């Protein structure tokens, strides 16, 4: 469940009742007193993007199908092995092409989406980029950094998405978490006419406990497999195809006056006998201990 929520491509391998146990019709260990042999595969339905009970006949094809779905969605998949089949010889055939091909961008939809983005934000000032952790999951960190370098736009990361891009980059403002972030960051982003987001999740933590007031009409979000421009949705589009086109077509902005590497904890106040109240003395001193390349 945690891997599903964090979009981590995990393969869950689970044992499964043997074929003889299933043929007996009896309730066996770990079956919760029921006679359902597929119980745990069904339980995983909402926490995985693909599931398979492997047999000598289907194992080659089903393994590739589950793996392709896990890689495409960057979420968990489940492979179940009946306990008496692990050493059986494979009798099924392999798919014609391995690895299996995942969906590709629809060229017409891709062009429309990029045209819409370029027409909406070109020349708009101020604006900024909000990268989400799916950039890392999809292996697109270098492309997203190229987008920042090409456009010179500042960026800030929501709470869940920190370190998506290198936070020593000169265009990094810091963490954006609504009213719980540095006021200078929140004020700058709220002043933007439009914001270009790279798949951050709009949930309780990332919106600063629902204190982010940025309207959907003023945001563009490039998700892993679709694009939203304001309230317009473009399906069947891959982020990996959108970013190079934006790098090529978006203009380069000048200095937008964005805050730079700001933190509320740069200065430590008080004395050694003061109580640790509200966290600020602790965090201020912790900040002073950190050095470049610390983990």
């Amino acid at each position: 469940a945690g891997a599903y929520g964090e979009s981590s491509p995990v393969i869950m391998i689970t044992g499964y009742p043997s074929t003889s146990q299933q043929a007996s019709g009896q309730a066996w260990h770990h079956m919760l007193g029921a006679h359902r042999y597929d119980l745990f595969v069904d339980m995983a339905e909402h926490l995985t993007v693909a599931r398979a009970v492997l047999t000598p006949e289907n194992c080659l094809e089903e393994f590739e199908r589950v793996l392709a779905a896990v890689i495409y969605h960057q979420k968990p998949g489940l492979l179940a092995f009946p306990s008496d089949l692990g050493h059986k010889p494979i009798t099924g055939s392999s798919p014609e092409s391995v690895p299996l091909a995942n969906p590709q961008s629809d060229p017409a939809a891709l062009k429309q989406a990029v045209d819409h983005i370029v027409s909406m934000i070109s020349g708009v000032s101020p604006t900024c980029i909000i990268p989400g952790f799916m950039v890392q999951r999809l292996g697109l960190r270098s492309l997203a950094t190229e987008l920042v370098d090409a456009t010179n736009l500042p960026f800030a990361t929501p709470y869940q998405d920190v370190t998506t891009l290198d936070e020593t980059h000169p265009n990094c403002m810091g963490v954006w978490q609504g009213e719980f972030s540095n006021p200078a960051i929140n004020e700058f982003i709220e002043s933007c006419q439009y914001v270009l987001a790279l798949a951050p999740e709009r949930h309780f933590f990332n919106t600063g406990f629902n204190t982010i007031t940025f309207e959907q009409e003023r945001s563009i979000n490039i998700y892993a497999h679709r694009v939203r421009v304001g309230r317009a949705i473009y399906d069947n589009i891959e982020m990996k195809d959108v970013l190079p086109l934006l790098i090529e077509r978006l203009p380069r902005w000048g200095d937008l006056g964005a805050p730079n590497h700001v933190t509320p904890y740069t200065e430590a106040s008080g004395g050694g006998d003061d109580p640790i109240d509200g966290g600020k003395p602790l965090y201020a001193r912790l900040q002073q201990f950190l050095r470049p390349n610390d983990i």
Side-chain angles (χ1 to χ4, degrees):
Y4 191 94
E6 292 287 341
S7 295
S8 294
V10 171
I11 296 288
M12 177 181 177
I13 298 176
T14 181
Y16 204 73
S18 69
T19 54
S20 61
Q21 287 175 324
Q22 295 179 55
S24 73
Q26 297 179 13
W28 297 85
H29 193 48
H30 290 308
M31 289 182 63
L32 308 184
H35 288 72
R36 288 190 53 201
Y37 303 102
D38 57 356
L39 181 66
F40 291 98
V41 174
D42 284 355
M43 288 172 62
E45 178 180 0
H46 299 290
L47 305 177
T48 56
V49 291
R51 298 154 301 285
V53 179
L54 298 186
T55 68
E57 296 77 24
N58 73 9
C59 62
L60 293 177
E61 186 171 354
E62 285 292 83
F63 179 83
E64 292 296 337
R65 179 183 65 83
V66 172
L67 189 61
V70 167
I71 293 172
Y72 180 70
H73 296 284
Q74 293 293 295
K75 289 183 181 294
L78 179 144
L79 297 173
F81 292 81
S83 59
D84 60 337
L85 298 183
H87 298 289
K88 296 280 187 179
I90 294 172
T91 59
S93 58
S94 179
E96 291 184 4
S97 62
V98 175
L100 297 183
N102 272 314
Q104 302 297 312
S105 294
D106 177 87
L110 176 63
K111 182 180 185 306
Q112 287 181 344
V114 172
D115 287 347
H116 196 168
I117 295 171
V118 171
S119 66
M120 178 176 282
I121 67 172
S122 291
V124 170
S125 181
T127 188
C128 66
I129 294 173
I130 307 294
F133 70 85
M134 279 303 296
V135 168
Q136 287 181 314
R137 300 293 192 272
L138 296 170
L140 300 176
R141 197 181 191 197
S142 294
L143 266 181
T145 303
E146 282 186 46
L147 179 63
V148 171
D149 292 336
T151 61
N152 196 38
L153 289 175
F155 68 90
T157 51
Y159 189 79
Q160 186 184 20
D161 306 292
V162 293
T163 74
T164 293
L165 300 183
D166 182 3
E167 293 177 359
T168 66
H169 193 286
N171 290 40
C172 177
M173 293 186 282
V175 177
W176 183 38
Q177 202 185 12
E179 293 181 4
F180 292 85
S181 50
N182 187 288
I185 296 175
N186 195 42
E187 289 169 7
F188 178 84
I189 296 176
E190 292 288 348
S191 73
C192 290
Q193 186 174 347
Y194 297 108
V195 161
L196 179 61
L198 307 180
E201 297 288 343
R202 194 178 178 92
H203 57 62
F204 187 61
F205 264 179
N206 266 13
T207 58
F209 309 103
N210 296 325
T211 61
I212 287 178
T213 60
F214 206 87
E215 301 89 351
Q216 193 174 58
E217 290 84 354
R218 298 164 57 203
S219 67
I220 298 160
N221 206 328
I222 303 169
Y223 298 99
H225 312 302
R226 64 188 177 96
V227 170
R228 178 181 55 75
V229 186
R231 294 193 177 275
I233 303 293
Y234 299 89
D235 291 318
N236 305 317
I237 297 176
E238 305 300 312
M239 183 189 289
K240 66 180 178 64
D241 298 324
V242 177
L243 294 182
L245 294 175
L246 294 182
I247 292 169
E248 177 184 326
R249 295 186 55 189
L250 283 177
R252 180 176 178 82
W253 277 261
D255 184 4
L256 298 179
N260 179 262
H261 291 98
V262 293
T263 168
Y265 303 121
T266 46
E267 298 297 332
S269 60
D273 295 328
D274 291 347
I276 298 176
D277 182 21
K280 291 186 178 180
L282 171 66
Y283 293 137
R285 284 165 173 76
L286 182 63
Q287 178 78 18
Q288 292 179 339
F289 278 106
L290 297 176
R291 296 292 181 267
N293 300 317
D294 283 350
I295 298 175

